[in-house]
Amino acid sequence: MSLRARLLLAVGAIALVALVAADFATYSSLRSFLYDRVDQSLDTEHVSIEAGVLGHHDPNDRTLISGGTFVQVRDANNQVLGSEAAREPGGKQYTAKLPDSIPLASQHGPGDSPVYLTVPSVEPGGPQFRVRVSTLQGGGQLVVGYSLEDTIVTLDRLRNIELAVTAAALGAAVLLGWWLVKVGLQPLTDVEATANAIAEGDLDRRVPGDEPNTEVGRLARSLNVMLERIRDAFTARDATEAELRRSEERLRRFVADASHELRTPLAAVAAYSELFDRGASQRPEDLARAMHGIRTEAARMHLLVEDLLLLARLDEGRPLKREPVELVAVAGEAAETARTVGSEWPIKIEARLPVEIVGDAGRIRQVFDNLLANVRAHTPPGTATTIRITQATTGDAPVAVFEVSDSGPGLTEEQAAKAFERFYRVEASRSRQHGGGAGLGLAIVAAIVGAHGGRVDAVAHGADGGAAFIVRLPLAAPIGDEMLTSGSQPALRFGSYGDGASFGP
């Protein structure tokens, strides 16, 4: 049985008990009152009748007997000496049906307390009588009785009224109780609806009506606090599981890609070793070719392993050096090295002011080197490269911004989105005809920039028409125009840089 049904049943039972008790008390009180009035009337009537009976000794003398009064006289042996039936309106006469023996005459003398009895009529369908039995002087009994027809009619009418009122009041109490229970349990209905919604996946639902001044309100507040913690726990669990899945996927892809990258140089080393075993050691030209191939593949594996170790250290969050780094000077050094390695790719640096950050100078230099190497690996000779170094404000924090852009074929949107994934290589639109690594260069760039608290973005088509890589790093301190003539390498700021590419304010 539901809580609502139990509460409604309890309200109905309490109301019924209360109404029945009130009805019984009212009925009993009125019945006692009416019977006492009849007894008082009998006491009054008895005096005149007894005086008449004692004066005339004739029970048939009705000069002192009112209509509707039953009178009977008995001797000391309880034998009826005379009897007068009660006359009702319409001429009907009724006689009270008395017990065969009334134990008053043999046990009491004159002046003893009378006995009051309620007896039926001798005639079928007659009324009940209320009779008074008293002892006469000289023995014998005088019985005086009144019909209770009017009293019984009054009591029956009261009973019917009480039944009707009780039924109506009980129905009203049940309806009112149903409404009150519905209103009172509405918060629990809301709790049920909220629980169902949460069970279906809506973890943001909350129980309404969490007022602190009611019991249900305090329950709702406790439930809401619990739901908040459950949602936070589920969110944290989902985030953890998602991160674990991503980490597992990255690890799986990383291991597969690393294995793939190492398989080629290992196979080459094995081939050169087999060539040696087949007699290359006896042929100088074959021996030199085998040794050169082994050294080349070993260097390739060494570079790959170094890149993997660097990524592992950065992933572990190992601390980097924290020292002032002037980006324009570092960019100049990287550009000079890049020009030496690949003079077919002209480089220009644009910087109005020196820009200083706090970080690891060696790793920042590696960022420039990898970005410039990426241009050489994926663009044809003659592609111009521009390094722009500026300051900007992101939110309320000033940042250093440097951009490495080229005039090559650019990237697709998909390539730009995946550019920093480990072991990812672009398609033929950015040719690898000039060589290329294992696809870790840009991944290392992203890891180093992230370790410095910055971010790097790939733009499919930058201002120069080709791809652009934009790095944002926290600025060490605001730099004013007075720093144009200061810094570690002022010559770089006001000179010219290779192949007619201008550099300076």
Side-chain angles (χ1 to χ4, degrees), residues 203-282:
L203 297 180
D204 293 328
R205 282 286 295 272
R206 294 295 176 267
V207 180
D210 54 349
E211 296 85 2
N213 56 345
T214 63
E215 292 81 359
V216 177
R218 289 191 291 271
L219 173 62
R221 173 168 292 187
S222 299
L223 289 175
N224 287 338
V225 172
M226 179 188 69
L227 292 175
E228 285 288 345
R229 294 179 178 175
I230 291 175
R231 187 190 65 174
D232 293 342
F234 273 106
T235 302
R237 186 202 65 179
D238 294 341
T240 301
E241 291 180 353
E243 182 60 30
L244 288 175
R245 287 193 295 269
R246 288 193 296 269
S247 298
E248 183 180 356
E249 181 61 27
R250 287 196 301 268
L251 178 61
R252 185 183 295 111
R253 188 169 62 248
F254 182 82
V255 171
D257 292 338
S259 301
H260 176 76
E261 292 295 331
L262 288 172
R263 182 174 58 184
T264 300
L266 286 174
V269 170
Y272 287 126
S273 300
E274 184 178 354
L275 179 63
F276 181 85
D277 291 338
R278 289 182 178 181
S281 60
Q282 305 301 324

Side-chain angles (χ1 to χ4, degrees), residues 350-420:
E350 296 178 356
R352 189 176 65 88
L353 298 172
V355 178
E356 188 174 87
I357 66 169
V358 175
D360 189 324
R363 296 308 176 192
I364 297 298
R365 167 66 186 273
Q366 190 172 4
V367 170
F368 281 104
D369 289 341
N370 285 8
L371 291 176
L372 294 174
N374 182 72
V375 174
R376 295 193 302 274
H378 300 292
T379 62
T383 301
T385 303
T386 302
I387 301 175
R388 296 181 179 89
I389 302 176
T390 60
Q391 302 178 32
T393 301
T394 301
D396 295 331
V399 294
V401 180
F402 64 87
E403 173 185 344
V404 177
S405 61
D406 61 65
S407 60
L411 295 168
T412 65
E413 295 296 334
E414 180 182 1
Q415 291 168 353
K418 296 181 178 180
F420 301 103

Side-chain angles (χ1 to χ4, degrees), residues 152-503:
I152 292 176
V153 169
T154 301
L155 292 176
D156 288 345
R157 184 176 181 182
L158 174 64
R159 183 188 62 234
N160 295 333
I161 292 174
E162 286 181 338
L163 290 175
V165 171
T166 298
L170 183 61
V174 170
L175 291 177
L176 181 61
W178 176 82
W179 181 79
L180 291 175
V181 169
K182 180 180 179 180
V183 173
L185 295 182
Q186 184 60 42
L188 297 182
T189 304
D190 295 337
V191 171
E192 179 184 3
T194 302
N196 291 333
I198 291 174
E200 293 174 358
D202 186 5
L203 297 180
D204 293 328
R205 282 286 295 272
R206 294 295 176 267
V207 180
D210 54 349
E211 296 85 2
N213 56 345
T214 63
E215 292 81 359
V216 177
R218 289 191 291 271
L219 173 62
R221 173 168 292 187
S222 299
L223 289 175
N224 287 338
V225 172
M226 179 188 69
L227 292 175
E228 285 288 345
R229 294 179 178 175
I230 291 175
R231 187 190 65 174
D232 293 342
F234 273 106
T235 302
R237 186 202 65 179
D238 294 341
T240 301
E241 291 180 353
E243 182 60 30
L244 288 175
R245 287 193 295 269
R246 288 193 296 269
S247 298
E248 183 180 356
E249 181 61 27
R250 287 196 301 268
L251 178 61
R252 185 183 295 111
R253 188 169 62 248
F254 182 82
V255 171
D257 292 338
S259 301
H260 176 76
E261 292 295 331
L262 288 172
R263 182 174 58 184
T264 300
L266 286 174
V269 170
Y272 287 126
S273 300
E274 184 178 354
L275 179 63
F276 181 85
D277 291 338
R278 289 182 178 181
S281 60
Q282 305 301 324
R283 299 187 294 274
E285 64 280 3
D286 290 339
L287 177 61
R289 185 163 61 89
M291 292 298 101
H292 176 73
I294 290 175
R295 285 195 300 271
T296 301
E297 297 303 328
R300 181 179 175 186
M301 286 189 292
H302 175 75
L303 180 61
L304 177 60
V305 170
E306 287 294 329
D307 289 344
L308 294 177
L309 288 175
L310 174 59
L311 288 173
R313 293 189 186 99
L314 294 174
D315 289 342
E316 290 176 0
R318 294 188 181 182
L320 300 174
K321 292 181 180 179
R322 305 293 294 175
E323 58 186 6
V325 179
E326 207 282 287
L327 294 179
V328 178
V330 175
E333 294 172 356
E336 182 67 27
T337 301
R339 179 176 177 275
T340 302
V341 174
S343 59
E344 297 90 348
W345 287 269
I347 301 174
K348 180 177 65 173
I349 299 177
E350 296 178 356
R352 189 176 65 88
L353 298 172
V355 178
E356 188 174 87
I357 66 169
V358 175
D360 189 324
R363 296 308 176 192
I364 297 298
R365 167 66 186 273
Q366 190 172 4
V367 170
F368 281 104
D369 289 341
N370 285 8
L371 291 176
L372 294 174
N374 182 72
V375 174
R376 295 193 302 274
H378 300 292
T379 62
T383 301
T385 303
T386 302
I387 301 175
R388 296 181 179 89
I389 302 176
T390 60
Q391 302 178 32
T393 301
T394 301
D396 295 331
V399 294
V401 180
F402 64 87
E403 173 185 344
V404 177
S405 61
D406 61 65
S407 60
L411 295 168
T412 65
E413 295 296 334
E414 180 182 1
Q415 291 168 353
K418 296 181 178 180
F420 301 103
E421 293 183 3
R422 297 175 184 183
F423 297 104
Y424 175 75
R425 297 188 182 94
V426 300
E427 302 297 334
S429 59
R430 286 176 66 87
S431 173
R432 297 186 67 213
Q433 61 181 343
H434 303 286
L440 294 177
L442 293 181
I444 292 174
V445 168
I448 293 175
V449 172
H452 282 80
R455 55 172 293 185
V456 58
D457 299 298
V459 179
H461 296 283
D464 298 327
F469 296 90
I470 303 173
V471 178
R472 295 175 176 85
L473 295 169
L475 198 63
I479 299 176
D481 292 341
E482 68 276 10
M483 294 190 67
L484 282 171
T485 57
S486 63
S488 58
Q489 297 187 25
L492 286 175
R493 299 192 182 94
F494 300 102
S496 63
Y497 184 75
D499 296 330
S502 63
F503 177 77

Side-chain angles (χ1 to χ4, degrees), residues 70 85-86 92-97 120-129:
F70 168 78
K92 293 183 179 181
Q93 296 184 2
Y94 296 98
T95 303
K97 186 177 181 181
S121 298
V122 175
E123 295 78 11
Q128 287 186 326
F129 284 89

